[in-house]
Amino acid sequence: IWSVTLERSEYTFERQSTPVAIAIAFDLSPSMLAIPDPGLGISQPPRFERGKAVLLDYLRALEEQGQPVIVSVLGFTKNASIIMGWDQSTAQVKDILDYAVSPDLFGSSGTSMEAAAKSLLSVFSMLPAELSSTSRQLAIIVSDGEDTMRASSFDYAKQELSDGGFDTIALQTG
């Protein structure tokens, strides 16, 4: 994630004053609550906590560099919903990740990457008009990668994401 928005920008082009538009799609399926088998002697937090930690570090790094951002957060299982619309406050985004993305929010259905892809396309179409053509657009999909819906939906999702007009990063937590 860092190389896409932080390092690459320093080496390949001049930093722009327009924000980077970041849409975060967070997998809220039960498998994201999994922890490694305690019998293995590995002590790690659940998958969703590991994904949140990486995102929070990333947002801190953006703040430290003074990179202006506008962020939206989505949650998905077999369906997707907007948790937070576009906001320029990284403090607000961090609060959503810290307090709203919790075990109480997780659903009981499986993961659909197709739902995530459709939701990302939808949220980028809601980007404020002054930013839709000038900002760099980045989608971050936080998931354990276990798409439990029909196999053809994954191919559809990959095609939708590649045609979306934004960069996509998969933050794999499994």
Side-chain angles (χ1 to χ4, degrees):
I1 295 174
W2 285 270
S3 67
V4 172
T5 55
L6 299 177
E7 296 166 6
R8 190 169 88 181
S9 63
E10 291 176 5
Y11 298 118
T12 61
F13 61 89
E14 193 173 304
R15 191 174 304 282
Q16 296 181 13
S17 61
T18 57
V20 176
I22 304 170
I24 300 169
F26 211 102
D27 184 350
L28 299 175
S29 67
S31 62
M32 290 291 286
L33 297 169
I35 58 172
D37 182 352
L40 297 175
I42 300 171
S43 177
Q44 285 189 345
R47 292 172 177 178
F48 83 95
E49 290 286 352
R50 295 192 307 257
K52 283 181 7 177
V54 171
L55 289 173
L56 292 170
D57 286 346
Y58 175 59
L59 291 170
R60 271 190 224 85
L62 289 173
E63 284 177 334
E64 288 171 5
Q65 290 218 346
Q67 176 67 51
V69 296
I70 184 167
V71 183
S72 181
V73 180
L74 316 164
F76 71 98
T77 56
K78 69 176 183 178
N79 297 308
S81 298
I82 296 174
I83 297 173
M84 185 186 89
W86 292 110
D87 197 311
Q88 293 181 336
S89 169
T90 53
Q92 179 75 17
V93 177
K94 288 191 277 187
D95 282 348
I96 291 293
L97 292 172
D98 272 336
Y99 302 110
V101 179
S102 68
D104 295 336
L105 186 63
F106 283 69
S108 59
S109 62
T111 303
S112 171
M113 292 298 171
E114 181 179 5
K118 285 182 179 181
S119 184
L120 286 166
L121 291 170
S122 176
V123 80
F124 276 116
S125 73
M126 293 183 235
L127 193 61
E130 66 274 6
L131 297 175
S132 63
S133 62
T134 60
S135 66
R136 177 142 185 248
Q137 298 174 9
L138 175 64
I140 302 173
I141 302 173
V142 182
S143 179
D144 56 12
E146 297 176 19
D147 190 337
T148 55
M149 298 297 139
R150 64 185 196 280
S152 63
S153 71
F154 188 71
D155 292 335
Y156 174 79
K158 288 191 307 186
Q159 187 63 47
E160 288 292 309
L161 291 172
S162 67
D163 294 343
F166 46 83
D167 293 324
T168 304
I169 295 174
L171 179 54
Q172 211 282 344
T173 61

